[in-house]
Amino acid sequence: MNRSVRSQPSRQGSVSGFDGLVFRPRSDTPIWQQIYDYILALIDSGWLQPGSQLPGEVHLAEKLGVTRITLRRALQQLQQEGHLTSRKGVGVFVRALPSALVVRDGSRFAESLRADGKTVTTRTTVLEAEFADAAAAEQLRLPLGAPVIRLHRVRAADGQPIHISTKVFPAGLLPDFETVYARRQSVTDVFIAHGIQKYRRLETRISGGFATADEARLLQLTPGTPVFRTSSINTDAGGNRIEWGLGCWLLTSVDFVF
């Protein structure tokens, strides 16, 4: 790929740092593509560090002598590929480097995620009792309409959302779920409180897709950004299915280790 990079900018995040971009004729490569190539090169080279903020759109467009529409097309492409993230009312930032998730039996999320020193936090958005629909009944081997607990959470590393999940549990096996979970937002604590000292991953399925509007909002992405989707089943020592989980990750935010 041709890159419109002449030299490395002198000061990170400043408008003057884009002096190194010299446009080639449009007939060679569209202007927005040249801007895209240049910013991506800055990210690849490490000059634009993970978490750093790009100059404001208005000032950057003026500096480059292009319309905001042209600049926005380049920025949106970088966001859709997961290189940048836009925080409403704040600005555009370089995405953090991928973390590694070690998939293993009986491990807590924070222990499984190799976050390279990042602080991992959990935000619970939904915790409610309901009745199993056809999908939940099939995955958990329950009668249709059996009582279940649905849990929806957003995980973040250093404040940057990296994972959203929906988990469904058989309420009959975990009657005190909500009380125990309220203490530390820990599903593992819930299992232990109900006599499930060990559990294992029966299966994990991973597929690709593109972020829906809701997924993009929760992960601070542009709709249509490539994502990983996971579907997993956990069982207790007796083989009873105790959890069905659906997850969504930004494609560039995690490496799965089995």
Side-chain angles (χ1 to χ4, degrees):
M1 178 183 294
N2 292 325
R3 298 197 184 281
S4 307
V5 181
R6 183 182 63 188
S7 61
Q8 289 301 315
S10 59
R11 186 158 55 87
Q12 182 173 318
S14 67
V15 177
S16 62
F18 285 78
D19 288 334
L21 174 55
V22 177
F23 293 119
R24 303 188 303 277
R26 295 173 187 267
S27 58
D28 182 4
T29 306
I31 297 299
W32 76 265
Q33 181 73 55
Q34 295 182 50
I35 297 171
Y36 163 93
D37 289 345
Y38 184 77
I39 296 176
L40 184 57
L42 298 183
I43 295 172
D44 289 344
S45 70
W47 184 85
L48 278 177
Q49 293 290 318
S52 63
Q53 184 174 4
L54 267 66
E57 185 179 288
V58 173
H59 299 298
L60 185 53
E62 291 177 351
K63 176 64 180 179
L64 297 177
V66 300
T67 66
R68 292 176 65 184
I69 293 176
T70 297
L71 175 62
R72 191 172 296 146
R73 183 172 181 184
L75 296 179
Q76 288 178 342
Q77 182 67 28
L78 288 162
Q79 289 176 54
Q80 288 175 351
E81 293 177 4
H83 303 292
L84 301 177
T85 181
S86 177
R87 301 178 192 172
K88 188 174 182 179
V90 180
V92 177
F93 296 80
V94 179
R95 269 276 177 180
L97 295 174
S99 301
L101 183 74
V102 181
V103 180
R104 58 188 178 189
D105 294 344
S107 61
R108 300 173 187 267
F109 183 92
E111 296 169 349
S112 299
L113 186 68
R114 294 175 182 167
D116 298 323
K118 303 183 188 77
T119 300
V120 179
T121 56
T122 300
R123 178 167 64 92
T124 299
T125 57
V126 175
L127 176 58
E128 61 186 10
E130 58 183 38
F131 299 103
D133 58 17
E138 177 182 2
Q139 295 295 332
L140 292 174
R141 301 293 191 262
L142 297 173
L144 185 65
V148 295
I149 301 293
R150 183 176 297 271
L151 173 65
H152 187 86
R153 302 190 288 189
V154 180
R155 305 280 197 169
D158 282 353
Q160 177 65 62
I162 59 173
H163 177 231
I164 55 178
S165 66
T166 297
K167 297 175 179 288
V168 184
F169 308 86
L173 290 178
L174 309 166
D176 296 323
F177 190 109
E178 294 181 60
T179 300
V180 178
Y181 181 79
R183 298 171 188 165
R184 293 199 305 168
Q185 297 189 93
S186 169
V187 171
T188 299
D189 286 356
V190 172
F191 290 157
I192 293 174
H194 290 85
I196 303 172
Q197 300 297 323
K198 295 183 179 180
Y199 57 94
R200 71 181 187 90
R201 181 62 56 89
L202 178 64
E203 67 175 29
T204 299
R205 297 172 181 255
I206 302 175
S207 60
F210 300 94
T212 65
D214 284 343
E215 290 169 341
R217 175 179 56 83
L218 291 169
L219 289 172
Q220 297 180 4
L221 304 173
T222 300
T225 298
V227 293
F228 279 128
R229 292 200 177 91
T230 60
S231 176
S232 58
I233 298 289
N234 284 337
T235 66
D236 63 14
N240 299 301
R241 298 192 173 201
I242 58 175
E243 176 188 319
W244 173 42
L246 297 173
C248 179
W249 303 77
L250 171 66
L251 190 64
T252 58
S253 71
V254 66
D255 295 323
F256 292 98
V257 181
F258 291 88

